[in-house]
Amino acid sequence: MLKLWGRANSTNVKKALWCLEELDVPYTRIDAGGAFGVVSDADYIAKNPNQLVPCLEDGALVLWESNAIVRYLAARYGEGTLWSADLAERAEADKWMDWVTSSLAAPFRTVFWNMVRTAPDQRDMPAVQAAIVECARLLAIGDQTLSKQPYLGGVSFGMGDIPLGCFAYAWFEMPIERPDLPHLRSWYERLLERPAYQAAVVTPLT
């Protein structure tokens, strides 16, 4: 059985959990990171020298980095569903996965940490407002794509929807003022209809 290290309230861990739930692959999750510690233990460092979560063990393979884990799981267990045999479709999915990490993650982190994990009297609200503006600018790119197709990778749900989908839950549920991005909102509502999304992603923001 696969083993996944990571706390359930981590956005990056949610990517792997959602992927596993979509694929209906049996797995065991081991609490790690944050209040659970573990990541600084010698045994864990031997698996993941970055001392971060998630970390996946599948037989002899030990893999870290959330997007890499999603790609691996999709390729191994999700051919024809999460993993497209069409190279161009797969490249589209890869593009959106990497875009979330390279462009959206930094400003989103500023909003999330202040609004979810920081006491109200300690929040840097000017930084939050600036980050919301930048997140909105970036999410408008996704909204434009979703005005032409139901999912980021095309007509079907796939691995390219997973990273942004994990961010989208917090974006739409945090107590912030958001611009109207109707196509992104409709896509998010479609994700909410997926049992695997409910199981892995829709958990209390902490």
Side-chain angles (χ1 to χ4, degrees):
M1 183 178 290
L2 280 75
K3 295 179 181 178
L4 183 72
W5 280 265
R7 64 189 192 280
N9 66 344
S10 160
T11 299
N12 283 330
V13 174
K14 286 180 178 184
K15 296 178 194 176
L17 287 173
W18 182 14
C19 190
L20 286 163
E21 291 289 336
E22 288 284 351
L23 297 170
D24 198 24
V25 176
Y27 67 93
T28 297
R29 185 181 62 80
I30 302 162
D31 281 325
F36 297 104
V38 176
V39 295
S40 58
D41 294 350
D43 287 347
Y44 188 85
I45 294 172
K47 300 177 188 299
N48 183 355
N50 288 311
Q51 302 181 50
L52 298 172
V53 291
C55 181
L56 178 77
E57 185 174 0
D58 187 8
L61 175 69
V62 176
L63 189 62
W64 33 269
E65 287 299 320
S66 57
N67 285 357
I69 290 171
V70 169
R71 288 186 180 102
Y72 167 75
L73 292 172
R76 178 160 187 181
Y77 301 103
E79 186 172 355
T81 55
L82 296 185
W83 183 264
S84 174
D86 184 274
L87 183 59
E89 289 182 4
R90 209 158 65 236
E92 283 292 313
D94 279 333
K95 176 186 72 178
W96 286 108
M97 294 177 73
D98 291 344
W99 173 83
V100 169
T101 300
S102 64
S103 298
L104 182 63
F108 182 86
R109 187 179 299 112
T110 298
V111 180
F112 183 85
W113 274 92
N114 275 278
M115 300 306 298
V116 176
R117 295 185 175 166
T118 302
D121 62 342
Q122 297 177 8
R123 291 171 180 165
D124 184 348
M125 292 311 297
V128 170
Q129 293 303 322
I132 289 174
V133 170
E134 179 61 7
C135 285
R137 182 187 72 81
L138 292 165
L139 290 170
I141 299 172
D143 186 74
Q144 183 179 30
T145 293
L146 292 165
S147 71
K148 305 170 187 174
Q149 58 196 45
Y151 295 98
L152 292 172
V155 297
S156 300
F157 172 79
M159 69 177 187
D161 295 287
I162 289 177
L164 185 57
C166 291
F167 281 61
Y169 171 63
W171 174 253
F172 283 108
E173 301 305 323
M174 284 189 291
I176 59 174
E177 291 189 14
R178 291 167 294 272
D180 183 26
L181 298 172
H183 308 294
L184 188 77
R185 166 70 77 170
S186 295
W187 168 78
Y188 172 61
E189 291 172 352
R190 287 192 291 278
L191 297 184
L192 286 171
E193 296 173 356
R194 306 185 72 85
Y197 189 75
Q198 287 285 338
V201 182
V202 182
T203 59
L205 294 177
T206 57

